[in-house]
Amino acid sequence: MAAPVMAEGDYKVAMVTDSGDITDQSFNQTTYEACKAFCEENGLDFNYYKPDGDSDEARIASCDQAIADGYNILVLPGYLFAASIVEESPVYPDVKFIALDMSEADLTGAAGVDDVTQAYNTENTYCAIYQEEIPGYMAGYAAVKMGYKHLGFLGGMSVPAVIRYGFGYVQGANAAAEELGITDEVTVEYAYGGQFYGDADITAAMDTWYSTNGVEVVFACGGGIYTSAAEAAAKVDGKVIGVDSDQAPIIDAYGEGMTVTSAMKGLAPTVNTLLSAIVLDDTWSDYVGKIDNLGLVSDNVEENYVQLPLESTQWNDGFTEDDYKALVADMVAGKVTVDNSIDAMPETAITVNDLGNIK
């Protein structure tokens, strides 16, 4: 299928949803809203496409349809689009592809090659991944500063992104406990569910954490696995920390005020930066072909590619919004650093009970 011929600068933007939809309070909705707002502000045609199934074939078909309809900037949120990038980027050299949360390993795995430059067309594609250890750190630090002493980390599968979130969380909790002089009072229960969705077995494990072991807040890190943490938390007025986007709206459906904060990836800043580079600034050449590892870039917390949400975080006297902004400033200045290695659990003064996989 040949892409329509369009004049240089005649841009039309489309996004394709992955396995969710534009009301998922996660990657799809955040990406959709950011694309829509940018296009409305700049007078661009925008549309979104929802594949008719959760498969590489369905996602590729939606990309084909968007391009056939004349859209020449495609925004694709999530690693599930790796096969789409491998398949589509060489076929449509005049289309610009923006892939969010897409790593080198995702691309080489989808293409079955070792050299990432052979996996896709580097001349029309930009990929971004995120430094998950930083928002993980922020969430753990905030939780302890807010007064929580018995924490939990429930990861999905033990893939690198989830591990970085978890190890960052442990480091942040440890740093806050050291500052408060309470390292002997803080404990983290640490486990992976072995999947990216909740079920009865994982909910039962979370029941034990909350109801029997006295866990106060769990960082639920892995797609829909938050449902098991939220179901268990609701029974004892427990708390949950969301991941990737501001998950308060969906977690709080299980109990009002359940969400302490969310460790977020800055999808909206990424979308705005890349669409501006293409449409407004003519700086696409500075980005195309890169797989950027995005993190902190500014003392202005809302400009960063990793964040806590300002509106829904439950700030208190122990950790205020100003405290958060001061923490970010220290991280940007290099006064606070986070280890991003995933080889072994970080060494800590607090107690971390590494429980392995629930399933």
Side-chain angles (χ1 to χ4, degrees):
M1 184 184 299
V5 177
M6 308 190 78
E8 182 67 25
D10 185 10
Y11 292 119
K12 297 175 67 176
V13 180
M15 74 156 284
V16 181
T17 60
D18 61 3
S19 58
D21 57 39
I22 61 168
T23 60
D24 65 359
Q25 297 289 340
S26 189
F27 263 49
N28 292 291
Q29 182 168 346
T30 303
T31 304
Y32 168 79
E33 291 175 350
C35 290
K36 184 172 183 288
F38 181 92
C39 291
E40 288 178 349
E41 182 177 344
N42 293 283
L44 298 179
D45 187 356
F46 169 69
N47 199 1
Y48 83 95
Y49 293 77
K50 182 177 179 179
D52 62 9
D54 181 14
S55 68
D56 291 335
E57 292 76 17
R59 284 182 282 272
I60 289 169
S62 288
C63 292
D64 284 335
Q65 188 60 59
I67 295 167
D69 290 344
Y71 292 91
N72 56 358
I73 301 175
L74 263 59
V75 183
L76 308 177
Y79 67 92
L80 289 177
F81 284 100
S84 301
I85 292 293
V86 169
E87 178 78 18
E88 303 287 83
S89 62
V91 175
Y92 302 112
D94 295 329
V95 175
K96 294 175 171 58
F97 294 88
I98 299 171
L100 307 176
D101 217 27
M102 181 79 65
S103 71
E104 178 176 328
D106 295 325
L107 292 163
T108 55
V113 298
D114 294 327
D115 182 354
V116 70
T117 64
Q118 302 302 312
Y120 70 110
N121 185 356
T122 60
E123 296 183 359
N124 65 347
T125 303
Y126 170 82
C127 301
I129 56 174
Y130 298 88
Q131 297 172 30
E132 293 93 355
E133 68 277 3
I134 295 176
Y137 181 103
M138 293 171 175
Y141 184 91
V144 172
K145 285 284 189 173
M146 289 174 178
Y148 299 103
K149 295 181 179 178
H150 200 166
L151 284 61
F153 175 81
L154 172 63
M157 298 179 71
S158 55
V159 297
V162 175
I163 297 171
R164 284 192 292 270
Y165 267 129
F167 286 5
Y169 181 67
V170 167
Q171 292 176 69
N174 186 69
E178 288 182 333
E179 289 179 16
L180 294 170
I182 56 169
T183 54
D184 59 335
E185 302 175 36
V186 175
T187 299
V188 179
E189 310 295 341
Y190 194 104
Y192 299 101
Q195 60 195 37
F196 287 117
Y197 55 91
D199 65 12
D201 292 334
I202 297 174
T203 299
M206 293 300 99
D207 282 335
T208 299
W209 280 16
Y210 281 110
S211 300
T212 304
N213 297 344
V215 170
E216 300 163 286
V217 59
V218 171
F219 180 15
C221 179
I225 205 165
Y226 76 88
T227 59
S228 282
E231 287 169 6
K235 299 169 187 175
V236 293
D237 294 325
K239 299 291 186 178
V240 175
I241 293 170
V243 73
D244 285 341
S245 62
D246 183 357
Q247 289 194 307
I250 53 172
I251 293 175
D252 285 359
Y254 291 82
E256 185 176 355
M258 182 180 289
T259 313
V260 172
T261 190
S262 294
M264 302 196 308
K265 297 177 180 178
L267 302 178
T270 312
V271 167
N272 289 332
T273 296
L274 270 297
L275 291 182
S276 294
I278 296 169
V279 176
L280 304 178
D281 304 329
D282 193 26
T283 55
W284 172 242
S285 61
D286 293 340
Y287 297 93
V288 67
K290 293 183 177 180
I291 303 175
D292 277 337
N293 190 12
L294 301 177
L296 299 174
V297 295
S298 173
D299 288 352
N300 182 343
V301 295
E302 293 182 279
E303 294 179 358
N304 288 317
Y305 297 109
V306 288
Q307 308 173 4
L308 301 183
L310 294 179
E311 291 188 6
S312 65
T313 296
Q314 296 177 3
W315 314 111
N316 62 19
D317 290 342
F319 191 67
T320 66
E321 185 175 323
D322 285 342
D323 291 332
Y324 165 56
K325 291 177 179 178
L327 172 63
V328 171
D330 283 346
M331 297 177 94
V332 171
K335 296 177 182 178
V336 173
T337 59
V338 188
D339 186 355
N340 67 355
S341 64
I342 59 174
D343 296 331
M345 181 69 69
E347 293 185 7
T348 61
I350 63 174
T351 298
V352 179
N353 295 320
D354 189 350
L355 305 173
N357 290 315
I358 293 173
K359 298 185 71 174

